[in-house]
Amino acid sequence: MEIIHNWLDIADRFHQQNLLLGNGASIAIDKCFQYDSLLDEARSKSYITTSVDDVFTRFAVADFELVLRRLWQAKEVNSAFSLPAGPIEQGYKDVQDALINTVQNSHVSYTDAEPHFPILEAFLKRFDTVLSLNYDLTLYWATQTANRTLGRWFVDCFVSGYFDDDWSRFKQAYGASGRTLCFYPHGNLIFYRYGFSNERKISTGVSDNLLDAIFHEWKVNGKAPLFVSEAY
């Protein structure tokens, strides 16, 4: 018979080098993340129009970032051949609007998530590396809030908005008594895509202002989000 142990009962048996966080970590902070997929949530809130739903069906995916990237590529091809963007550009905007509306109405606020941060800080700082598969901001908020008192303990290896490929140099503690590297292999709301394969990080504090800055980059500045919103 399988036995599920409480982590605190078995923690001393493991060398705590790496931690992988799935959606359960976000759900533990707020039940607002308790849905099968972001696309399902968008459908349930009626943010998905028939034309947008047809785009997802045609591509046979449920990942907003992937659909937006393919529509952006289609716009670039049209532009290269001097073809009018027309329906492609409208489709991109419709998918983008559906994503913005869904995240705005489903993401927990910084204020509501903040009471969980001290517990997260105490747990996460035990590990050398934390990898999050979640698109939401809870891990980023928690680690950056912790850094206000810990110093530069939690580091995501981005410098001036760009990811440093020589990330191993950040392993050494600097500006704090310890160091935990945080990675987002599935992307995150704090990242956006520009061009075909480049990424940048949005950074405007760690409060609800960060969510506002993200939506501004998406809606006003036309930045394409960089995160996987659906597991395959």
Side-chain angles (χ1 to χ4, degrees):
M1 180 179 176
E2 295 282 345
I3 299 177
I4 299 177
H5 296 277
N6 187 301
W7 170 251
L8 294 178
D9 295 334
I10 61 175
D12 58 354
R13 304 181 196 174
F14 299 91
H15 179 55
Q16 297 173 27
Q17 288 185 318
N18 305 311
L19 174 67
L20 180 67
L21 297 176
N23 192 45
S26 298
I27 293 173
I29 293 175
D30 197 283
K31 300 299 183 185
C32 70
F33 299 112
Q34 198 167 20
Y35 43 76
D36 292 333
S37 74
L38 200 60
L39 180 59
D40 289 339
E41 183 71 0
R43 285 169 173 154
S44 72
K45 301 290 187 183
S46 298
Y47 296 136
I48 293 291
T49 64
T50 301
S51 59
V52 170
D53 218 344
D54 287 346
V55 172
F56 281 92
T57 301
R58 178 63 61 92
F59 286 134
V61 297
D63 181 10
F64 276 91
E65 191 271 337
L66 180 59
V67 169
L68 285 170
R69 177 151 49 96
R70 288 179 174 174
L71 289 172
W72 177 85
Q73 290 170 336
K75 288 198 303 178
E76 291 297 298
V77 171
N78 282 350
S79 178
F81 285 94
S82 300
L83 298 174
I88 299 296
E89 190 167 346
Q90 185 60 48
Y92 184 95
K93 183 180 184 303
D94 289 344
V95 174
Q96 185 183 51
D97 287 345
L99 175 61
I100 292 172
N101 290 331
T102 305
V103 175
Q104 277 185 321
N105 287 277
S106 66
H107 198 290
V108 65
S109 70
Y110 177 88
T111 301
D112 289 340
E114 190 175 16
H116 298 271
F117 294 165
I119 298 174
L120 278 171
E121 172 191 326
F123 178 62
L124 296 173
K125 65 185 291 191
R126 301 178 181 185
F127 296 90
D128 298 330
T129 306
V130 174
L131 299 101
S132 174
L133 305 182
N134 303 323
Y135 73 87
D136 63 80
L137 296 177
T138 53
L139 174 64
Y140 184 77
W141 276 341
T143 55
Q144 298 308 300
T145 299
N147 281 351
R148 292 173 178 172
T149 55
L150 295 176
R152 289 182 53 80
W153 186 296
F154 295 99
V155 177
D156 59 19
C157 305
F158 275 77
V159 179
S160 299
Y162 294 88
F163 183 75
D164 192 326
D165 291 329
D166 187 22
W167 56 266
S168 60
R169 69 187 180 91
F170 294 103
K171 288 183 176 181
Q172 188 68 33
Y174 178 78
S177 59
R179 172 58 54 88
T180 299
L181 299 185
C182 298
F183 296 103
Y184 302 86
H186 282 185
N188 193 266
L189 287 177
I190 57 175
F191 305 129
Y192 67 86
R193 181 186 303 280
Y194 70 100
F196 181 72
S197 60
N198 299 301
E199 67 277 341
R200 289 288 302 274
K201 175 184 170 184
I202 301 169
S203 183
T204 307
V206 292
S207 66
D208 286 325
N209 290 336
L210 179 54
L211 270 175
D212 292 337
I214 289 168
F215 298 138
H216 181 84
E217 291 295 336
W218 289 359
K219 195 163 189 176
V220 177
N221 293 335
K223 300 296 191 302
L226 179 60
F227 67 88
V228 175
S229 59
E230 178 76 6
Y232 296 100

